[in-house]
Amino acid sequence: MNEAQNPSEANHPNPGRISLVGIGPGSVEHMTLRARAAIAEADVVIGYVTYIKLVADLLEGKEIVRKGMTEELDRAVSALEQARLGKKVALISSGDAGVYGMAGPTYEVLFQAGWTPDDPVQLEIVPGASAINACASRVGAPLTHDFCSISLSDLLTPWPTIARRLDAAAAADFVVALYNPKSGRRTRQIVEAQRLFLRHRRPDTPVAVVKSAYRRRERIEFTTLDRMSECEIGMLSTVLIGNSNTVIQHGLMVTPRGYANKYDLSEGGETRAGERPGRSLSTGLLGWLEGLQADHAAGDSIEVLAARHRLPPDYIRATLSEALEDEPVEAATEEAA
Amino acid sequence: MNEAQNPSEANHPNPGRISLVGIGPGSVEHMTLRARAAIAEADVVIGYVTYIKLVADLLEGKEIVRKGMTEELDRAVSALEQARLGKKVALISSGDAGVYGMAGPTYEVLFQAGWTPDDPVQLEIVPGASAINACASRVGAPLTHDFCSISLSDLLTPWPTIARRLDAAAAADFVVALYNPKSGRRTRQIVEAQRLFLRHRRPDTPVAVVKSAYRRRERIEFTTLDRMSECEIGMLSTVLIGNSNTVIQHGLMVTPRGYANKYDLSEGGETRAGERPGRSLSTGLLGWLEGLQADHAAGDSIEVLAARHRLPPDYIRATLSEALEDEPVEAATEEAA
């Protein structure tokens, strides 16, 4: 033993570690190398039975703690206890450990117990593909544009908070993934989500219901927003709602990235008039600001401009009050020539 | 050759394949087994130089096509041409291939070229951890609650669309990841994003700027919303903005999942009065609806209720007009006993 060691290490000659491992969708081949290594290195593996079975080949000689559904805090406490004994603990989550996963509760429990990053017990989070990524890859390419993830579970979140997020995501035309859409007890949440979405979105907005992506009982159902709540949706389902441009074509759900805004895709990909390859759209921030200033100078009021662009009047006012600095449009046009 | 073969297979005795491979954050150990296998099986590998270097050990004897930044459509066309010759093509994206990645443009190009899922050329998407997951795992546990991903790039998206999403995400208290926050040319977008967020969020809302997660030049900076635009932000940065409950504690950014709504964490985890373990909160959907009906019966108008819960009046009216069916609160209380 080296006397220069810091005292906490001296008290824990073999400091433990907690690895929060996201194993991805739940097939061995979609786990990362690090996820498998963290499990292989562990003395103790904690997780749901289903996920533990997936890594059966790595478990020889390890202590296994199988846990049920509503024991997140218990699992974190138990992981810390084991790590304090100098053990390496792997705590398994499906998908990404940080997305509605064990990372949050574990930090909450560790902070409560006085743990800090200087503690001899080290914490590692191993990221993985979350359900939104796995489900998207099975239905086509729905996440090519801005998206939200919203959990419909009200076990820890008041309904008005969830409802405000559904309303905002629907209004602002996000692609949306609904996690925990329905359970035996929670059946009305998906009906309310549909009601909130239909206030802003077309009834024929494409929807995909994906159950158990990459697992044996995988099931994909395409539908539309107005029929969403009639689908077979359960605890293992993720619901993907497209934005106003999303299409289902040849049985694939695809959200265009926006190339059609800049290129004429039917004419061999020629750039549209006024647009430049590799540069902001003419309706991008600076082009838009220039147009806004011109319209305002021509007599359009703040309120008229706010209504036209569906943005708050005080935002329009604030941004109009600042000079255009970067890349004035005239100079940029010359540059691109 | 079997005469029962379908005609398209007969014309392509050795049908090609396109694999859109998400390699995760950009370190070998965070790639999935399937990502590495799809590259190992490929005849042709297409991607940015940086990502191709990462898989150098798998490339012996393969054709390599290194591409630049703004050539997504070219890359997809080139992948299809090669696959039509019967080759296996791996098209590499960082993060998840579906999130602002190559999956969308590839489907757009393939559909344009008359490809359908019955084509002899097969398409596979290999999901991976996206930047939001990788960055989150390095800063703590910010994604424990509902989140949005918004790209600030206006190369293909008009600014008002982006601004409306920023405004909605800020108002509805999502955790938000900003992709493509800034480039040499695009410097004002992050200032405008900050302006929109400050209309709804406290100036001291925690923000993390993560550059090159899991790569050699990884850099993490914590700041607050009011100072966000002063940070060093570039093409390789992802910006994470917390929700109203997110904290930075001991150098870690953590968004509570909401256990404190149900449990008294300082008192050994006792369930709070009126709450039940494993069940919806008393302010969950059914409890909330019951309260809403009681308040309405007691004389509160639709408008008063809408203002109280910050939800649209017509939503309040619609949901009040439907009877409570599932799990009436009285019965549920007995069940839980």
Side-chain angles (χ1 to χ4, degrees):
Chain A
M1 281 261 160
N2 182 337
E3 294 206 335
Q5 268 188 325
N6 82 42
S8 58
E9 275 181 30
N11 294 336
H12 301 265
N14 180 20
R17 185 181 74 199
I18 301 174
S19 297
L20 294 164
V21 181
I23 61 165
S27 66
V28 171
E29 61 177 356
H30 290 95
M31 291 179 66
T32 65
L33 304 182
R34 181 62 206 143
R36 283 185 61 86
I39 294 167
E41 293 162 9
D43 303 302
V44 185
V45 179
I46 306 181
Y48 294 149
V49 182
T50 321
Y51 310 145
I52 285 185
K53 279 188 194 155
L54 266 180
V55 291
D57 61 316
L58 304 175
L59 298 181
E60 174 99 26
K62 294 185 195 309
E63 189 178 338
I64 310 298
V65 184
R66 293 175 183 81
K67 289 285 187 175
M69 280 296 283
T70 53
E71 298 161 326
E72 285 92 352
L73 300 180
D74 290 351
R75 265 181 279 164
V77 169
S78 147
L80 181 59
E81 283 169 1
Q82 303 268 15
R84 286 247 184 269
L85 300 174
K87 296 185 186 170
K88 290 190 166 55
V89 181
L91 233 162
I92 300 181
S93 292
S94 68
D96 182 75
V99 175
Y100 308 114
M102 281 302 299
T106 301
Y107 275 120
E108 289 187 66
V109 164
L110 263 60
F111 287 158
Q112 191 72 30
W115 178 93
T116 72
D118 300 327
D119 196 282
V121 169
Q122 289 303 293
L123 190 65
E124 170 197 33
I125 302 182
V126 182
S130 182
I132 191 172
N133 308 290
C135 294
S137 75
R138 296 302 283 165
V139 304
L143 305 182
T144 304
H145 223 293
D146 303 329
F147 62 88
C148 296
S149 165
I150 303 176
S151 168
L152 295 193
S153 169
D154 57 3
L155 268 67
L156 298 172
T157 309
W159 179 254
T161 303
I162 300 171
R164 283 194 291 269
R165 289 180 182 156
L166 291 165
D167 184 56
D173 204 25
F174 282 98
V175 176
V176 175
L178 302 179
Y179 281 63
N180 307 309
K182 199 172 176 177
S183 72
R185 286 186 206 282
R186 293 185 303 96
T187 57
R188 185 159 163 174
Q189 280 75 2
I190 189 73
V191 177
E192 297 293 327
Q194 183 182 38
R195 192 196 310 277
L196 285 157
F197 263 79
L198 283 170
R199 296 180 63 253
H200 302 284
R201 301 283 189 90
R202 289 205 321 266
D204 63 349
T205 301
V207 171
V209 178
V210 184
K211 185 184 156 193
S212 301
Y214 292 101
R215 299 187 199 172
R216 203 157 43 86
R217 295 174 197 278
E218 178 183 282
R219 192 166 163 279
I220 297 171
E221 186 175 355
F222 290 108
T223 183
T224 50
L225 184 56
D226 57 343
R227 310 195 61 177
M228 174 172 85
S229 63
E230 299 160 27
C231 282
E232 191 184 313
I233 299 177
M235 288 282 283
L236 301 172
S237 306
T238 302
V239 176
L240 295 168
I241 306 173
N243 72 17
S244 60
N245 294 312
T246 303
V247 293
I248 293 180
Q249 200 171 352
H250 306 303
L252 291 160
M253 183 179 190
V254 176
T255 304
R257 182 73 190 98
Y259 289 96
N261 292 332
K262 183 174 275 180
Y263 304 99
D264 186 344
L265 297 179
S266 65
E267 295 291 331
E270 290 299 303
T271 311
R272 291 189 187 282
E275 305 299 346
R276 295 162 291 156
R279 302 296 287 273
S280 295
L281 283 183
S282 59
T283 52
L285 178 58
L286 297 181
W288 177 75
L289 283 174
E290 213 192 34
L292 201 67
Q293 293 190 336
D295 289 347
H296 192 48
D300 289 344
S301 70
I302 298 281
E303 286 66 30
V304 164
L305 294 170
R308 180 178 304 153
H309 298 290
R310 287 183 284 139
L311 284 165
D314 63 299
Y315 170 69
I316 299 285
R317 184 175 298 109
T319 199
L320 272 177
S321 73
E322 283 197 18
L324 277 175
E325 290 174 49
D326 309 303
E327 195 190 38
V329 172
E330 300 77 9
T333 309
E334 284 170 23
E335 254 179 72
Chain B
M1 284 265 160
N2 183 337
E3 294 205 333
Q5 267 187 325
N6 83 41
S8 59
E9 275 182 30
N11 295 337
H12 302 264
N14 182 18
R17 185 182 72 199
I18 302 175
S19 297
L20 294 165
V21 181
I23 61 166
S27 67
V28 171
E29 61 177 356
H30 291 94
M31 291 178 66
T32 64
L33 304 182
R34 180 62 207 143
R36 284 185 62 87
I39 294 167
E41 293 162 10
D43 304 301
V44 185
V45 179
I46 306 181
Y48 294 149
V49 182
T50 320
Y51 309 146
I52 285 185
K53 279 186 193 155
L54 266 180
V55 291
D57 62 315
L58 304 176
L59 299 180
E60 175 100 26
K62 295 186 197 307
E63 190 179 338
I64 311 296
V65 184
R66 293 176 183 79
K67 290 283 185 176
M69 281 295 284
T70 53
E71 299 162 326
E72 285 93 352
L73 300 180
D74 290 353
R75 265 182 278 163
V77 169
S78 148
L80 181 58
E81 283 168 4
Q82 302 267 17
R84 286 247 183 269
L85 301 173
K87 295 184 186 169
K88 289 189 166 57
V89 182
L91 233 162
I92 300 181
S93 292
S94 69
D96 181 76
V99 175
Y100 307 114
M102 282 301 300
T106 301
Y107 275 119
E108 289 188 65
V109 164
L110 263 60
F111 287 157
Q112 191 72 31
W115 178 93
T116 72
D118 299 328
D119 196 281
V121 169
Q122 289 303 292
L123 190 66
E124 170 197 33
I125 302 182
V126 182
S130 182
I132 190 172
N133 307 291
C135 295
S137 75
R138 297 302 282 164
V139 304
L143 304 183
T144 304
H145 224 293
D146 303 328
F147 62 88
C148 297
S149 164
I150 303 176
S151 168
L152 295 192
S153 169
D154 58 2
L155 269 68
L156 298 171
T157 310
W159 180 254
T161 302
I162 300 171
R164 283 194 290 268
R165 289 179 183 158
L166 291 165
D167 184 56
D173 204 26
F174 282 98
V175 176
V176 175
L178 302 179
Y179 280 64
N180 307 308
K182 199 171 178 179
S183 72
R185 288 187 205 282
R186 291 185 304 98
T187 56
R188 185 159 162 175
Q189 279 75 4
I190 188 75
V191 178
E192 297 292 329
Q194 183 182 38
R195 192 196 311 277
L196 284 158
F197 262 80
L198 283 170
R199 296 180 64 253
H200 302 284
R201 299 282 189 92
R202 289 204 320 266
D204 63 350
T205 300
V207 171
V209 179
V210 185
K211 185 183 157 193
S212 300
Y214 293 102
R215 299 186 199 173
R216 202 157 42 88
R217 295 173 197 279
E218 178 184 282
R219 194 167 161 280
I220 296 171
E221 188 175 354
F222 289 108
T223 183
T224 48
L225 184 56
D226 57 343
R227 311 195 60 176
M228 174 173 84
S229 64
E230 298 159 27
C231 283
E232 191 184 315
I233 298 177
M235 289 281 283
L236 300 172
S237 305
T238 303
V239 177
L240 294 168
I241 306 175
N243 71 18
S244 60
N245 294 312
T246 303
V247 294
I248 293 180
Q249 199 171 352
H250 307 302
L252 291 160
M253 183 178 189
V254 176
T255 304
R257 181 74 189 95
Y259 289 96
N261 292 333
K262 182 176 276 181
Y263 303 99
D264 186 344
L265 298 178
S266 65
E267 295 291 332
E270 289 300 302
T271 311
R272 291 188 188 281
E275 305 300 345
R276 293 163 291 156
R279 303 295 287 274
S280 296
L281 282 183
S282 58
T283 52
L285 178 58
L286 298 182
W288 178 75
L289 283 173
E290 211 191 36
L292 201 66
Q293 293 190 335
D295 289 348
H296 192 48
D300 288 344
S301 70
I302 298 282
E303 286 66 31
V304 164
L305 294 170
R308 180 176 306 152
H309 298 289
R310 287 182 285 138
L311 284 165
D314 62 300
Y315 170 68
I316 299 284
R317 185 175 298 111
T319 200
L320 271 178
S321 73
E322 282 198 19
L324 277 175
E325 289 174 49
D326 308 303
E327 197 191 36
V329 172
E330 300 75 10
T333 310
E334 283 169 22
E335 253 179 71

